[in-house]
Amino acid sequence: MTYSEPLRVPQFGAILFRAAELIGQQGSQALDALGVDFDARHTSVLLVLYTQGPKTSSELAEIIGHSRQLIEARLKSARGRRVFASRPDPHDTRRRLYEIAADAQPVAETVHAIMREFEPVYDALWAEVGVDLEQALLKMEARLADKPLIERLQDSRAVDRQPTGAESK
């Protein structure tokens, strides 16, 4: 069997996934080390509710950038631990508003304060790796929303098929 040269591009998604997993694991370890009993997977939801007040699962999904189904799964598991509470939306009783449960307010304040402490830590990490990774990834998301990968591949193939100056004469 003959093997071809390894591909760099398909590894990109795996690298992003590994980095996200590593940040999640280390975030959980940090909370544990600081004595905070909180599942780090709920941090994004907690921070939105802490800073912006009650939201529906659809609003949370839009703000955070995850699917509504994923947000609802996280809300359900966190509600079981009494981190979040829900109530009917007074403007539309078909919808539910989620908020931080009263008993979880002290944990929410602590997590929010710790995340503020992490901001300069991330800034230093971005300086260490030579790129503001957060801004770079946000730009990448925007560019991919404007022009998906398949269009980029098709454009690349079209350029590869164009004749060179000597061939076109």
Side-chain angles (χ1 to χ4, degrees):
M1 177 177 226
T2 305
Y3 295 99
S4 64
E5 288 291 315
L7 298 173
R8 183 193 74 171
V9 177
Q11 298 303 314
F12 181 67
I15 293 166
L16 280 175
F17 182 77
R18 283 195 318 264
E21 287 289 307
L22 185 60
I23 288 170
Q25 289 169 355
Q26 291 184 3
S28 291
Q29 291 167 352
L31 291 176
D32 288 345
L34 295 169
V36 180
D37 182 23
F38 183 74
D39 185 338
R41 292 175 300 168
H42 305 302
T43 302
S44 296
V45 172
L46 180 118
L47 292 175
V48 169
L49 296 177
Y50 186 83
T51 59
Q52 299 182 29
K55 299 286 179 208
T56 65
S57 60
S58 295
E59 291 169 329
L60 287 166
E62 184 175 329
I63 293 165
I64 296 169
H66 288 308
S67 72
R68 185 180 52 78
Q69 292 81 2
L70 177 61
I71 295 295
E72 287 180 355
R74 289 191 177 163
L75 286 166
K76 182 178 180 181
S77 69
R79 281 181 59 212
R81 297 188 69 212
R82 294 188 168 90
V83 174
F84 304 124
S86 70
R87 60 183 164 84
D89 184 336
H91 303 293
D92 183 349
T93 56
R94 296 171 296 171
R95 300 179 341 156
R96 299 204 60 79
L97 289 174
Y98 293 89
E99 57 196 350
I100 298 169
D103 291 346
Q105 281 295 330
V107 171
E109 291 170 13
T110 300
V111 170
H112 183 260
I114 290 168
M115 296 314 293
R116 280 219 183 276
E117 288 183 76
F118 266 113
E119 288 181 357
V121 171
Y122 280 118
D123 289 341
L125 180 59
W126 304 156
E128 189 178 321
V129 299
V131 64
D132 183 329
L133 197 52
E134 181 179 9
Q135 289 304 309
L137 290 172
L138 288 170
K139 286 179 184 177
M140 182 181 73
E141 280 183 324
R143 297 297 68 82
L144 288 171
D146 292 341
K147 186 174 183 177
L149 282 176
I150 188 62
E151 288 180 31
R152 294 169 186 277
L153 178 62
Q154 290 166 338
D155 289 352
S156 175
R157 286 178 168 182
V159 168
D160 288 346
R161 283 191 221 110
Q162 289 183 358
T164 62
E167 293 172 358
S168 62
K169 292 183 181 180

